Amino acid sequence: MTKKLTFVIISIFLLLISCDKKQTELEFEKSVANEIFPALLDSVFHDTRLSPPPPPPPNSEWNDSTAVKWDESKLIAEYEKRKAELEKDTTKLVIAIVDSTYQINERAKKGLIDFYKDFAIELDTANIEQSYKINLSELKHAEKFKLKYRSEFPSTSKIWKGNYDFHLAGITGFSRIQFDRTKSYGVMISGFGCGSLCGFSALVFIRKEKEKWIIDKIMVTGIS
């Protein structure tokens, strides 16, 4: 066997090992994203059908004829009644999931180091620039939710004006996960949209605890 042929065989072998490693890393990341998703959805979800009682107006305590009568106990009672009704409602709440993962950014990477600074973590060097298609069938979630791809709806704000035979409860998605070198800590970008001018984006810090992934904190970075 010539040296040239030997070199080619070794190169192909190393390439195959490298591909297997990348696939394994991606599958690991997907498993973490799928594991954390139920808690993530519950954390970011905001039911617009249930608005908390408004604060009392500035002049609610005036004693003259212009005073606004403010019955806080009545408002709270109505709120609790509506909340109980919605909790019993078995109608599925449809959540539109952005089809593919967002790209992670430098702000998130820095945020991961800063948030876990007491542990002096170092960023994992795996390439996470490439997005991947999210598989809805792999995402576990509470029984009250039903997931659909974002691409099944209008691409603009008209999504909120559609005449659906179901209740569109919101839009969410998530990014690739930036892990530390030990793959014990991580950060992802997520958020929730509940209307054309209703929503937020956030950094989601996660960590591994007793062989399970949990959300440490959701840090809001933008509100609309």
Side-chain angles (χ1 to χ4, degrees):
M1 183 180 295
T2 65
K3 291 183 178 180
K4 184 176 181 180
L5 180 59
T6 302
F7 176 77
V8 171
I9 293 174
I10 292 176
S11 298
I12 293 175
F13 178 72
L14 292 175
L15 180 61
L16 290 174
I17 292 177
S18 176
C19 290
D20 288 342
K21 183 178 179 182
K22 288 180 181 179
Q23 180 66 19
T24 300
E25 288 174 345
L26 179 57
E27 289 303 317
F28 169 76
E29 181 185 336
K30 287 182 178 180
S31 70
V32 174
N34 295 340
E35 180 181 344
I36 209 75
F37 183 77
L40 176 62
L41 182 54
D42 283 342
S43 297
V44 301
F45 173 68
H46 170 63
D47 195 339
T48 56
R49 300 174 301 169
L50 183 65
S51 299
N59 62 345
S60 61
E61 297 180 358
W62 290 2
N63 294 318
D64 58 25
S65 59
T66 63
V68 174
K69 293 183 179 180
W70 185 258
D71 190 345
E72 184 178 14
S73 60
K74 181 180 179 181
L75 290 171
I76 293 177
E78 291 176 349
Y79 170 80
E80 292 298 336
K81 180 182 178 181
R82 177 60 174 159
K83 182 179 179 182
E85 290 174 348
L86 290 176
E87 288 176 347
K88 294 179 181 179
D89 187 0
T90 58
T91 303
K92 295 289 186 181
L93 303 178
V94 172
I95 304 294
I97 306 293
V98 178
D99 297 39
S100 298
T101 54
Y102 310 137
Q103 284 191 324
I104 202 76
N105 56 37
E106 294 302 317
R107 180 181 186 180
K109 294 179 181 180
K110 184 178 184 301
L112 178 62
I113 294 175
D114 291 343
F115 188 77
Y116 292 112
K117 60 184 178 182
D118 292 342
F119 301 93
I121 66 171
E122 296 181 7
L123 298 182
D124 183 45
T125 57
N127 186 349
I128 56 173
E129 293 183 2
Q130 189 72 31
S131 297
Y132 67 81
K133 177 72 176 289
I134 295 172
N135 188 340
L136 296 188
S137 65
E138 295 178 350
L139 296 181
K140 296 180 181 179
H141 52 83
E143 184 65 25
K144 64 182 178 181
F145 297 119
K146 181 177 181 179
L147 309 183
K148 289 180 175 289
Y149 280 120
R150 176 65 179 84
S151 59
E152 296 180 39
F153 299 90
S155 60
T156 64
S157 60
K158 290 181 180 179
I159 184 175
W160 304 111
K161 301 176 182 179
N163 185 21
Y164 311 117
D165 58 357
F166 53 82
H167 176 64
L168 178 60
I171 304 171
T172 190
F174 53 87
S175 71
R176 297 291 302 269
I177 303 175
Q178 174 64 62
F179 292 104
D180 75 308
R181 284 185 181 274
T182 67
K183 287 187 169 58
S184 300
Y185 306 92
V187 63
M188 60 200 304
I189 300 170
S190 187
F192 191 79
C194 45
S196 57
L197 292 175
C198 172
F200 70 93
S201 56
L203 296 181
V204 182
F205 298 99
I206 62 176
R207 64 184 168 87
K208 196 173 186 179
E209 183 178 87
K210 296 180 180 178
E211 301 305 313
K212 292 185 178 181
W213 285 91
I214 63 171
I215 295 176
D216 244 347
K217 185 175 182 178
I218 295 180
M219 184 182 295
V220 176
T221 56
I223 299 176
S224 62

